[in-house]
């Protein structure tokens, strides 16, 4: 099984763990570290809606907390007619750790699109430009 297929499978499984009683919209993410480890996340909502955190950020923060900041790519799965792309906030968070990463977006029917983060968030904010 290739790495994209494994990531998509893990993102699908992670999606099943979503806590989304308010939107009823479940999202799963699976992040690939440069050393080949897979770290997953799902969206976690809150009764105070603004405290909700997206699947992509749960995966990214879990990776950082595990000491894995070198990220190659991320797979994202949701049940939409077209593959979902990450929200703007998640794009900026991912750019902090892996500006060159790829993002594989898929729906449950297996329809896929792959992007570079730089395509999805050109000119990301950076405090110190080089
Ligand atoms: N959501 C994600 O998990 N990732 C995204 O990229 C967009 C939105 C979640 C947040 C919320 O729990 C639900 O989807 C509806 O917006």
């Amino acid at each position: 099984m290739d790495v994209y297929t494994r990531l998509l499978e893990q993102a699908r499984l992670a999606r099943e763990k979503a806590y989304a009683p308010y939107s009823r919209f479940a999202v799963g993410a699976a992040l690939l570290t440069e050393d080949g480890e897979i770290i997953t996340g799902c969206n976690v909502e809150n009764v105070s809606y603004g405290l909700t955190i997206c699947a992509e950020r749960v995966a990214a923060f879990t990776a950082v907390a595990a000491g894995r900041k070198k990220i190659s790519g991320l797979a994202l799965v949701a049940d939409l007619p077209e593959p979902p792309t990450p929200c703007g906030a998640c794009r900026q968070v991912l750019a902090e750790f892996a500006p060159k990463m790829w993002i594989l977006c898929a729906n449950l029917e297996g329809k896929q699109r792959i992007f570079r983060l730089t395509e999805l968030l050109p000119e990301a904010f950076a405090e110190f430009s080089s």
Side-chain angles (χ1 to χ4, degrees):
M1 203 188 285
D2 68 37
V3 72
Y4 294 126
T5 311
R6 283 201 292 131
L7 272 185
L8 286 173
E9 192 175 281
Q10 291 302 309
R12 261 191 208 105
L13 288 173
R15 179 181 167 275
E16 285 168 18
K17 300 205 172 71
Y19 177 72
Y22 306 106
S23 73
R24 307 228 165 258
F25 184 70
V27 185
L31 175 156
L32 181 70
T33 68
E34 279 185 7
D35 42 16
E37 207 176 325
I38 294 177
I39 294 171
T40 61
C42 60
N43 52 328
V44 182
E45 298 189 343
N46 189 271
V47 63
S48 178
Y49 296 174
L51 302 182
T52 290
I53 178 166
C54 296
E56 301 92 312
R57 267 177 287 163
V58 170
F61 293 158
T62 301
V64 174
R68 305 276 186 274
K69 285 193 285 285
K70 292 183 175 172
I71 298 167
S72 302
L74 175 133
L76 181 63
V77 172
D79 188 11
L80 285 175
E82 294 299 321
T85 53
C87 81
C90 288
R91 294 177 195 196
Q92 181 70 47
V93 167
L94 292 168
E96 179 84 14
F97 302 105
K100 293 181 179 151
M101 72 186 289
W102 44 263
I103 299 177
L104 176 59
C105 307
N107 66 12
L108 291 185
E109 292 158 8
K111 204 165 174 185
Q112 296 175 21
R113 291 184 75 188
I114 190 159
F115 301 93
R116 287 266 161 207
L117 179 56
T118 48
E119 289 175 72
L120 297 178
L121 187 66
E123 306 294 341
F125 175 73
E127 193 176 358
F128 302 104
S129 54
S130 52

